[in-house]
Amino acid sequence: MANAIQFKVNGVARSFDGEPDMPLLWYIRDTLGLTGTKFGCGVGLCGACAIHKNGDATRACITPMSSLAGAEIRTIEDIGANGLHPVQKMWMQFNVPQCGYCQSGQIMQAIALLKGKPKPTDQDVDDGMAANICRCGTYQRIRAAIKAAAQESA
Amino acid sequence: MTSYDLTELVTGKAVYGMDAHIDGMLYASIEHPPVLGGKIKSVDNAEALKVAGVSQTVVLDPFKPPPAFQPLGGVAVLANSTWAAFQGRKKLKIEWDNGPNETYDSDQYKKELQETARKPAKLIRGQGDVDKAFASTESTFEAEYYVPLLAHAPMEPMVALAEFKDGKVHAWAPTQNPQAVQAIISSELGIRKEDVICHVTLLGGGFGRKSKPDYVAEAAVLSHKVGRPVKVVWTREDDIKFDYYNAVAAMYMKAALDSNGKPTAWLQRSVFPPITSIFDVNAVYGDPPHLAQGWTDMPYDIPNLRIENGPAKAHVRIGWLRSVANIYHGFAVQTFTDELAHRAKRDPADYLLDLIGQPRTLNFTGVDYPNYGASYDTYPWETGRLRRVTEMVVEKSGWGKRKLGKGAGLGIAAHRSFLTYVATVVEVEVNDDGDIRIPRVDAVVDAGLVVNPEVTKAQFEGAAVFGTSVARSGEITAKNGVIEQSNFDTYPVARINEAPYQTNVYLVESDAPPAGVGEPGVPPFIPALCNAIYAATGKRIRELPLSRTDLGKQS
Ligand code: FES
Ligand code: FES
């Protein structure tokens, strides 16, 4: 279609001419089959669907396809594709995941947080991560892993 | 958990039920009857079918009471993507016949439970003569406690993929109970259990919800009807509104006290709609396994004792949630203990140790006490072990010694559940606006022989967060039979800035047989937190969640 939306997902050029209101989450999951990005609430309350849009942590479940023209989207599958990111390494070292379902979103959020605050305080971590729910309650380890990753990248 | 390849969990490669896929599958979203037991009067699917990607709608039969693990019924919209199914479903026009549960109202129901709890009820365990002791004592104290319905809200909503082909069903599902998956699909479709093959995927959390496979049966029934593989995806709203809730409960407690403030008689009565109601429409009394969760086994050595349970009818599906009846039973017993300590002007930890008493094995001769299904010889109830974790948590937490800031307080509680003994001290800070912060939690755990200390500690850290969610904001209510909450805005769970900042877990070295570690952290945490709030503010929490109580300083 003439009005197809052009954008990139994990560096690959994509074009979309379907339902413009469809959230990016379902394009990523159902169309591209990139299932690392999770569905948790569908309304921007939990962060399970966090991806990077032009480098910023963004909720894919409330990002309509119509807003993507020219955007660079990055999902968890691309993080560490060429060797684990320090955040992923620390997530493993601190045994952060329990069920693991929220952790793609937590990691995407944490990477974006560290980009803006390379040496985050407790308050920075609270502010940066409060939009991401972990129902298993791994927050204490998330905090420790973020701080360790900040050291690592220093 | 950590046995699973961590690399897959941090790179998005792990495959959950939500990620299951087979070629040619359809996605389904189901509009369930808004009231439990409701039936369809009429459906207009014309607009739904116009949504791009929607292929058809299917009417699902209502369950035949009791609900057990049967699908709830309703109307399914099938489509070529999850989103199209969701959109089509929004366009359905359905008229419902809500049935008798339409009158269910949580405020009214709460009053009924509380009234029942004030009346003599069925004796579960007793000794001595409580009535005589109450009549002859100078001092008695009574209090009532209340805990609402709670939802599981695991991070991954209910989801399942099923394919019916050549008389067999393959189901891919995040389930805690594959045998139940086989049983319900076999009875729904009239095929043999052996012809149901359940492929268990990774679970995005369960907490007990995913041991009830109604959602897996939905996928199988739909695949059978449409002749294609079908993936049923529940929204978060579906998950919150159509859960098997942890029971709402009212507890009444009364003690006769001697001149030192020690109980000489103790009456405790709980009332809650039982889990057995999902299998038996007439069930109204607690069943022995769930009464045994922190109620029948109230461990204090009191000469006159009556433990009772009153009737309550269920109007929603009741189910087990992480630590189950221990949540409300532990809250009542451990808060009441703290209330008595303060009345006696005693240190709450010393007083708790006094009531636990000297090491002894509880004797349940003549009492129906299932002990979590474990042999009583192998797993006796030893008060010495509860005493030891309590003494240890006093020491580890710096109880009575630690300097606390303004508006801060410490609370303590001890509880045995799933054969594991836990004592917890919570530090809370309450500011002038009534907002709470939990800087530190210390939990001492005697779970017998611990195979994997790292995983065990993580479970207790998580239990403190889970308990925080229950205490702060866990409340499901119904009006006209319809659940009022729907997503994480109306059913909030603890976030990183609300969760305990630091939870220290200490494992008692033991060669006793291994016991539960996933659930036992929850029951003592909640009363320890509420007791800490009392220490910090002088406000006694007898009703959960905390959001019902204004903890701010009155000006
Ligand atoms: S699924 Fe997007 S914020 Fe919850
Ligand atoms: S690890 Fe299970 S929800 Fe976060």
Side-chain angles (χ1 to χ4, degrees):
Chain A
M1 225 182 258
N3 291 333
I5 300 157
Q6 313 288 335
F7 53 97
K8 279 186 179 171
V9 178
N10 297 337
V12 179
R14 301 280 176 184
S15 147
F16 178 80
D17 64 1
E19 175 61 48
D21 291 342
M22 179 166 90
L24 171 61
L25 174 64
W26 302 112
Y27 176 79
I28 292 172
R29 288 183 53 83
D30 291 351
T31 309
L32 300 184
L34 297 172
T35 55
T37 305
K38 298 302 190 218
F39 169 53
C41 71
V43 291
L45 290 169
C46 78
C49 66
I51 47 95
H52 293 170
K53 181 183 171 195
N54 303 327
D56 296 330
T58 302
R59 301 289 173 261
C61 71
I62 49 170
T63 301
M65 293 306 292
S66 59
S67 71
L68 292 185
E72 302 255 0
I73 302 300
R74 220 172 156 208
T75 71
I76 185 75
E77 284 85 355
D78 196 45
I79 306 287
N82 305 307
L84 291 180
H85 187 279
V87 166
Q88 290 169 313
K89 281 190 205 153
M90 289 306 145
W91 243 245
M92 291 176 68
Q93 186 169 319
F94 285 82
N95 280 311
V96 174
Q98 287 193 23
C99 83
Y101 192 82
C102 72
Q103 300 296 349
S104 297
Q106 304 279 5
I107 288 167
M108 298 308 280
Q109 193 73 29
I111 290 171
L113 164 69
L114 287 170
K115 211 179 79 181
K117 307 259 183 192
K119 286 275 163 288
T121 62
D122 280 335
Q123 190 60 48
D124 292 335
V125 173
D126 277 1
D127 293 347
M129 302 302 294
N132 286 63
I133 292 172
C134 173
R135 184 64 166 143
C136 297
T138 63
Y139 298 125
Q140 180 171 327
R141 290 168 193 250
I142 286 176
R143 185 188 302 279
I146 288 175
K147 291 198 167 173
Q151 290 292 330
E152 171 99 335
S153 344
Chain B
M1 274 176 271
T2 38
S3 57
Y4 196 82
D5 186 352
L6 268 180
T7 318
E8 309 234 306
L9 292 182
V10 301
T11 53
K13 293 197 183 78
V15 178
Y16 294 82
M18 190 60 78
D19 310 327
H21 177 97
I22 44 179
D23 289 340
M25 73 182 187
L26 290 172
Y27 298 81
S29 181
I30 301 171
E31 186 75 17
H32 297 111
V35 175
L36 181 69
K39 297 185 171 69
I40 293 165
K41 267 200 250 172
S42 69
V43 188
D44 173 355
N45 66 358
E47 293 299 313
L49 291 175
K50 285 186 198 153
V51 171
V54 169
S55 51
Q56 61 188 311
T57 68
V58 174
V59 172
L60 294 164
D61 293 335
F63 66 84
K64 295 173 207 69
F69 303 145
Q70 297 170 77
L72 286 166
V75 182
V77 174
L78 290 95
N80 63 5
S81 77
T82 317
W83 174 248
F86 286 177
Q87 291 305 96
R89 178 179 157 197
K90 286 187 193 149
K91 297 275 160 69
L92 288 171
K93 296 195 188 74
I94 307 173
E95 256 193 287
W96 301 99
D97 171 4
N98 287 329
N101 288 321
E102 191 177 31
T103 57
Y104 180 43
D105 175 284
S106 288
D107 291 340
Q108 180 58 33
Y109 191 79
K110 176 183 179 187
K111 289 194 195 110
E112 290 166 20
L113 287 190
Q114 289 173 328
E115 271 162 33
T116 308
R118 290 176 199 128
K119 289 191 271 231
K122 190 164 112 182
L123 180 68
I124 304 301
R125 178 180 152 217
Q127 61 191 30
D129 190 335
V130 167
D131 293 331
K132 209 166 125 198
F134 285 146
S136 62
T137 189
E138 273 172 30
S139 168
T140 61
F141 180 67
E142 57 189 342
E144 296 180 15
Y145 302 93
Y146 178 79
V147 180
L149 292 170
L150 299 167
H152 298 76
M155 215 60 230
E156 174 194 44
M158 301 314 107
V159 62
L161 166 61
E163 179 172 37
F164 176 84
K165 208 163 92 185
D166 307 329
K168 289 190 177 54
V169 168
H170 283 265
W172 292 262
T175 175
Q176 296 171 274
N177 195 346
Q179 286 78 23
V181 167
Q182 288 181 300
I184 185 66
I185 292 177
S186 124
S187 82
E188 288 289 320
L189 299 187
I191 61 176
R192 299 181 315 157
K193 274 189 206 165
E194 306 84 81
D195 290 333
V196 179
I197 300 98
C198 182
H199 309 268
V200 179
T201 66
L202 263 187
L203 274 78
F207 313 116
R209 174 62 180 91
K210 289 174 181 166
S211 56
K212 298 171 262 287
D214 54 332
Y215 55 100
V216 194
E218 288 176 335
V221 168
L222 284 170
S223 176
H224 182 250
K225 289 211 187 205
V226 306
R228 298 259 300 264
V230 174
K231 180 174 175 184
V232 168
V233 183
W234 284 32
T235 62
R236 175 60 57 196
E237 290 80 3
D238 295 332
D239 170 59
I240 302 270
K241 286 189 179 296
F242 303 104
D243 199 354
Y244 290 77
Y245 304 99
N246 203 58
V248 48
M251 278 72 54
Y252 172 87
M253 316 281 295
K254 183 174 179 180
L257 303 162
D258 68 14
S259 53
N260 296 318
K262 258 198 92 169
T264 53
W266 179 287
L267 166 68
Q268 59 176 46
R269 194 181 288 135
S270 69
V271 181
F272 55 90
I275 287 177
T276 44
S277 62
I278 63 173
F279 305 112
D280 171 4
V281 285
N282 297 315
V284 288
Y285 284 101
D287 53 307
H290 293 102
L291 286 169
Q293 296 187 333
W295 203 241
T296 311
D297 60 346
M298 199 292 294
Y300 305 153
D301 191 9
I302 296 168
N304 302 293
L305 176 70
R306 265 188 90 82
I307 295 176
E308 297 182 357
N309 177 247
K313 196 168 161 44
H315 299 284
V316 290
R317 300 185 297 180
I318 303 295
W320 43 94
L321 167 134
R322 195 174 192 174
S323 85
V324 204
N326 289 291
I327 292 178
Y328 39 88
H329 289 150
F331 172 63
V333 172
Q334 290 300 299
T335 308
F336 192 60
T337 305
D338 196 71
E339 296 212 40
L340 294 178
H342 283 279
R343 278 180 63 85
K345 304 204 166 25
R346 295 277 311 278
D347 174 77
D350 281 347
Y351 188 87
L352 172 59
L353 284 166
D354 263 9
L355 292 200
I356 294 170
Q358 289 313 306
R360 64 195 193 286
T361 302
L362 297 187
N363 181 350
F364 292 109
T365 311
V367 177
D368 196 345
Y369 181 68
N371 198 34
Y372 299 90
S375 140
Y376 200 74
D377 289 339
T378 317
Y379 291 94
W381 212 125
E382 294 175 284
T383 61
R385 291 174 75 184
L386 192 67
R387 186 178 182 88
R388 181 156 60 144
V389 291
T390 307
E391 285 168 345
M392 276 179 70
V393 85
V394 164
E395 184 210 314
K396 297 285 185 192
S397 68
W399 180 271
K401 298 198 178 104
R402 205 152 101 208
K403 278 259 177 300
L404 298 176
K406 183 172 153 280
L410 294 184
I412 189 167
H415 190 89
R416 173 190 187 260
S417 70
F418 299 88
L419 314 168
T420 289
Y421 302 78
V422 185
T424 304
V425 168
V426 174
E427 178 186 358
V428 76
E429 285 170 12
V430 186
N431 72 13
D432 291 352
D433 295 334
D435 301 327
I436 68 165
R437 231 191 117 240
I438 306 171
R440 176 169 158 187
V441 177
D442 294 277
V444 177
V445 177
D446 178 355
L449 184 70
V450 169
V451 184
N452 188 333
E454 180 72 6
V455 168
T456 302
K457 284 186 179 176
Q459 285 293 312
F460 282 85
E461 291 164 16
V465 179
F466 199 88
T468 301
S469 297
V470 170
R472 284 179 63 101
S473 53
E475 180 170 37
I476 292 290
T477 55
K479 206 150 209 84
N480 301 324
V482 179
I483 300 300
E484 296 183 284
Q485 292 71 25
S486 58
N487 206 315
F488 292 122
D489 47 354
T490 44
Y491 191 75
V493 297
R495 294 171 181 275
I496 195 167
N497 55 330
E498 298 161 335
Y501 179 78
Q502 174 75 34
T503 297
N504 304 312
V505 182
Y506 310 92
L507 304 176
V508 172
E509 285 205 34
S510 167
D511 49 16
V517 296
E519 317 197 55
V522 177
F525 173 85
I526 296 165
L529 170 63
C530 295
N531 294 341
I533 289 172
Y534 181 79
T537 65
K539 291 193 185 176
R540 181 55 73 185
I541 307 299
R542 289 180 176 164
E543 198 174 294
L544 294 179
L546 296 170
S547 51
R548 281 181 167 259
T549 306
D550 180 7
L551 296 173
K553 280 224 167 69
Q554 265 91 3
S555 45

